[in-house]
Amino acid sequence: MGGNWKSATIKPEGLHSLIGKLRDEAYRVVGPTMRDDAIVYDDIAGLDDLPKGWTDDQEAGRYALARRSDDAYFGYNVGPHSWKQFLFPPVETMWHAQRDEDGAMTCSAPSRPKEKFAFVGVRACEIHAIAIQDRVFREGPFADNAYASRRQDAFIIAVNCGQAGATCFCSSMGTGPRADGGFDLALTELLEGGDHRFLVEIGSEAGAAIMEAVPHAPASSEQVEAAAAIVEETANRMGRSLETDGLKELLQGNLDHPRWNDVADRCLTCGNCTMVCPTCFCTTVEDHSDLENRTAERVRKWDSCFTLDFSYIHGGSVRTTTHSRYRQWMTHKLANWIDQFGTSGCVGCGRCITWCPTGIDLTEEAAAIRAAPSKADAQ
Amino acid sequence: MPAPVQSSDPFVPEIYRVGAVRRELADVVTIEIEPESGGRPDFLPGQFNMLYAFGIGEAAISISDETKHGGGFVHTIREVGAVSRALAAMEVGASLGLRGPFGTAWPVAEAEGSDVVVVAGGLGLAPLRPAIEALLARRERYGQLAILVGCRTPEAILYRHELEQWRQRLDIDIEVTVDHASTDWHGNVGVVPSLIRRVAFDPDDTLAYVCGPEVMMRFTASALHEAGVATDKVYLSMERNMKCAVGLCGHCQFGPSFVCKDGPVMRFERISPIFAMREI
């Protein structure tokens, strides 16, 4: 057990050892790594896989890696990936069906190999995104058991942000930049004075237990203060902001606002924003069968409300225009989500802004409606 | 009203067999299905099942009745797509998958002591039928009961046999109208909302159940409003694209609601601000 301390420091070698311990305990350790000119989340074996000395330069519609002047392992913000691809896979088989010679059918859920994930480098906004998907998949009248199982076993190592990206607005959403819970361990990277260390906060018994096996030193009050100052500085440098006060009522009361037509002129309905969003949960299903029509399966795939097919009912799609599809996405994310799940669907990670090919910025769209609302309140 | 039951895995269908098939209309078939093992789950009038045709896919189909001895479901299916065509083509003994029942119900118990106006457009009569049966089963508990049915043509009148049977009763007002007819039709011609003023009910103490195409429900809701029925006494059954039926796939969103779990039966008062808007 974790003793009576709440925080400690480890050196980079300690982080390497921590990753090794998790792998020894049969965790699939996933963390940031560089691929295709981006920092993505994938399997990591140790420090060598981390994007040491690299950062990401982001703006609306723009993402580029750049060299840092130091050796920070977590000196970037967030990339196109989020942890949802592991807890809520983009493609998942829901069940298999067989049919015998007489056409009699049987149906069964696939046996899913148990997969224990350890996530290294989870940002505060991402912890909130996971908590939002928990509400969707675990806490409704119907639960997604496969999600719940993966989620229950996940070990989360948060990393507090040492910098804010130009498209970040977690401070507005109350979701960061400091991880305030929902982790097993939380790291803050300390680089001052050539003494490269991580301040480690213990968030759970599992976190405390594994730290016992990792070389660590007690944290000095200076180190704790230095870590707090880093996160505070990050909070002060948010690239963007979103006024959330009354936002639900504002958007629900402005469904006929001319701004939706304006954004429709820029939106390509490509669905990038929904794919990179760490909370978007919409799916479609595909039914497959073999050539003999004896075995069949149902596969669930991530879907996007930006496709024409998404709202199809016999006779045509409900949302044919671009403006209605953008409106659906944004009003769902920032307004209807609150009615549905008691929380905004947005954590302010800025991915939808960065990865929009035309640089549409939902904070700007919301501000434009707020500046000239067509109605004061929801109808 | 909502009666969701968490099964072990809400995504995996149970296996049912077709016990009977009856062609209703040129493009509409009614199938009776029984569970291959175990009992049929309970359902409430207005709820729906997800029916799976092997290898082709699933469709949300409202429950239009229980089978004669109560052991299975009756579903009336219009052939409009690959799945509904496959379901409608099933023969007696065929095997299919079923998940459900899902969704909210017509407020049958809440209507006790009140008048009830049931308004159906086309195939919209199918999800209303169990509600009508429930009202008739305890007829003495309700006031005036009116059933108003609109169809495109006389040939498109669904459940003609049942309508004729109900019509024999002296304690219901039944009116049927068609949009177009040849000279051998001697019934009403016109849209279904126009029937509302022809039947007796106390607008201050009436519940209305409405199901049909959205445009029909829009005009019906207006006509009920003009007749003095408050929007919180009017219930509509909505239709949206559905994949999961358990509120997890996002497809059926209608403003803040998921039609699969907050609907399909929805109080008009709750949705009226967005009901008239396009592409919600």
Side-chain angles (χ1 to χ4, degrees):
Chain A
M1 281 305 298
N4 56 6
W5 47 275
K6 282 245 162 77
S7 61
T9 64
I10 56 173
K11 293 184 171 180
E13 304 83 68
L15 177 59
H16 187 79
S17 155
L18 175 59
I19 292 168
K21 294 281 178 235
L22 288 164
R23 287 164 62 87
D24 291 345
E25 293 190 14
Y27 279 102
R28 181 180 163 196
V29 182
V30 181
T33 193
M34 296 205 340
R35 194 174 71 219
D36 302 333
D37 297 325
I39 294 169
V40 298
Y41 297 149
D42 207 342
D43 295 275
I44 55 168
L47 288 182
D48 288 349
D49 292 322
L50 299 178
K52 181 182 177 183
W54 288 88
T55 191
D56 48 9
D57 188 11
Q58 304 195 37
E59 242 316 325
R62 193 163 63 81
Y63 177 97
L65 295 183
R67 272 283 180 196
R68 291 178 61 90
S69 58
D70 58 31
D71 284 339
Y73 287 98
F74 299 95
Y76 57 89
N77 296 292
V78 290
H81 283 182
S82 69
W83 309 98
K84 94 173 173 183
Q85 71 195 60
F86 302 101
L87 296 174
F88 167 50
V91 179
E92 181 155 43
T93 301
M94 307 304 285
W95 43 263
H96 300 285
Q98 285 84 34
R99 198 152 72 157
D100 67 18
E101 285 162 12
D102 301 326
M105 188 166 106
T106 54
C107 205
S108 57
S111 57
R112 295 186 177 90
K114 200 165 170 65
E115 202 158 31
K116 274 199 324 183
F117 287 107
F119 297 149
V120 178
V122 183
R123 301 302 190 181
C125 61
E126 298 182 308
I127 289 176
H128 283 268
I130 292 169
I132 287 171
Q133 288 215 323
D134 286 349
R135 290 201 184 199
V136 174
F137 290 124
R138 296 202 303 193
E139 293 164 23
F142 295 95
D144 180 335
N145 297 332
Y147 175 91
S149 167
R150 288 185 289 260
R151 176 67 180 94
Q152 187 183 331
D153 294 337
F155 187 94
I156 292 177
I157 301 177
V159 175
N160 289 317
C161 289
Q163 63 177 53
T167 57
C168 288
F169 56 103
C170 64
S171 285
S172 299
M173 305 311 294
T175 57
R178 179 188 158 80
D180 53 9
F183 54 79
D184 294 290
L185 298 172
L187 313 181
T188 308
E189 192 163 16
L190 304 171
L191 291 144
E192 288 301 306
D195 182 23
H196 198 164
R197 283 177 183 271
F198 297 95
L199 180 80
V200 185
E201 291 167 72
I202 309 294
S204 73
E205 289 188 8
I210 202 149
M211 277 303 292
E212 286 299 307
V214 173
H216 61 269
S220 68
S221 58
E222 290 78 17
Q223 286 167 322
V224 171
E225 281 165 25
I230 287 170
V231 182
E232 195 174 326
E233 178 69 5
T234 302
N236 291 335
R237 288 175 180 264
M238 284 288 131
R240 277 167 164 76
S241 66
L242 176 65
E243 175 56 72
T244 58
D245 189 33
L247 185 58
K248 176 175 109 72
E249 294 74 18
L250 178 79
L251 295 178
Q252 289 177 338
N254 281 278
L255 298 175
D256 51 3
H257 197 280
R259 184 71 183 192
W260 303 117
N261 287 322
D262 185 276
V263 69
D265 287 342
R266 289 169 279 138
C267 175
L268 309 176
T269 66
C270 69
N272 265 17
C273 50
T274 57
M275 294 294 109
V276 296
C277 178
T279 68
C280 270
F281 60 85
C282 288
T283 53
T284 189
V285 287
E286 289 179 2
D287 290 282
H288 304 146
S289 62
D290 67 350
L291 289 174
E292 286 185 293
N293 220 15
R294 295 287 285 273
T295 64
E297 64 177 4
R298 168 160 279 218
V299 177
R300 183 175 76 178
K301 294 185 167 179
W302 287 1
D303 201 2
S304 171
C305 55
F306 281 91
T307 71
L308 186 59
D309 201 40
F310 187 85
S311 63
Y312 182 84
I313 48 177
H314 62 90
S317 291
V318 173
R319 291 185 281 274
T320 57
T321 61
T322 299
H323 95 253
S324 71
R325 284 181 254 163
Y326 188 86
R327 180 181 66 189
Q328 168 61 26
W329 177 71
M330 190 167 130
T331 56
H332 182 217
K333 187 69 55 190
L334 299 177
N336 295 338
W337 209 297
I338 297 169
D339 288 325
Q340 295 168 352
F341 302 107
T343 171
S344 172
C346 178
V347 296
C349 71
R351 285 182 178 88
C352 59
I353 306 170
T354 297
W355 295 94
C356 175
T358 65
I360 295 171
D361 174 351
L362 87 170
T363 68
E364 188 186 329
E365 298 310 313
I369 291 174
R370 191 181 285 279
S374 55
K375 291 188 183 67
D377 297 300
Q379 285 176 330
Chain B
M1 273 193 310
V5 178
Q6 170 87 67
S7 68
S8 54
D9 188 334
F11 299 104
V12 180
E14 301 291 330
I15 308 302
Y16 278 63
R17 288 240 186 208
V18 177
V21 179
R22 183 171 70 251
R23 181 155 288 278
E24 302 277 359
L25 306 171
D27 58 349
V28 178
V29 164
T30 292
I31 59 172
E32 296 185 8
I33 57 174
E34 307 261 353
E36 187 141 291
S37 60
R40 164 182 72 72
D42 288 338
F43 76 96
L44 296 170
Q47 290 192 300
F48 65 95
N49 286 321
M50 298 297 286
L51 300 186
Y52 170 70
F54 189 89
I56 298 171
E58 258 185 351
I61 311 282
S62 62
I63 300 166
S64 54
D65 204 352
E66 56 185 356
T67 53
K68 200 169 182 183
H69 300 293
F73 293 109
V74 178
H75 286 285
T76 294
I77 300 159
R78 170 169 281 159
E79 300 161 87
V80 289
V83 176
S84 56
R85 266 192 283 275
L87 293 169
M90 283 187 171
E91 295 173 353
V92 171
S95 198
L96 73 158
L98 180 147
R99 295 189 296 127
F102 298 118
T104 55
W106 300 109
V108 174
E110 292 88 328
E112 287 189 9
S114 302
D115 297 344
V116 181
V117 178
V118 177
V119 190
L123 211 64
L125 187 54
L128 284 165
R129 182 172 154 183
I132 294 170
E133 298 286 5
L135 294 168
L136 293 178
R138 294 179 164 184
R139 180 65 189 87
E140 72 286 355
R141 298 192 181 196
Y142 303 93
Q144 301 282 345
L145 175 54
I147 300 170
L148 311 177
V149 176
C151 295
R152 285 203 197 110
T153 63
E155 294 72 37
I157 297 170
L158 185 70
Y159 302 149
R160 197 167 186 142
H161 175 70
E162 287 81 356
L163 283 168
E164 285 169 0
Q165 280 198 323
W166 294 333
R167 197 168 213 168
Q168 285 173 16
R169 297 178 62 132
L170 302 177
D171 56 359
I172 333 173
D173 270 346
I174 295 211
E175 295 283 346
V176 178
T177 185
V178 300
D179 295 344
H180 313 285
S182 58
T183 51
D184 54 5
W185 168 255
H186 301 296
N188 299 304
V189 176
V191 294
V192 70
S194 66
L195 298 177
I196 288 169
R197 61 172 184 269
R198 298 172 54 160
V199 291
F201 58 87
D202 173 6
D204 292 328
D205 191 17
T206 292
L207 262 66
Y209 310 161
V210 185
C211 186
E214 252 179 71
V215 61
M216 167 266 174
M217 294 199 288
R218 196 168 298 144
F219 282 104
T220 302
S222 297
L224 287 163
H225 180 70
E226 281 165 25
V229 182
T231 52
D232 65 347
K233 299 287 184 65
V234 175
Y235 291 80
L236 312 182
S237 182
M238 293 296 298
E239 183 180 10
R240 282 293 182 271
N241 184 308
M242 274 183 207
K243 301 294 185 196
C244 77
V246 291
L248 299 181
C249 79
H251 281 256
C252 71
Q253 286 179 82
F254 179 55
S257 302
F258 291 96
V259 170
C260 68
K261 61 177 187 181
D262 304 317
V265 177
M266 304 179 90
R267 197 194 289 259
F268 183 55
E269 180 194 36
R270 175 173 170 174
I271 58 173
S272 60
I274 57 171
F275 188 64
M277 300 188 88
R278 291 166 56 85
E279 299 194 290
I280 296 296

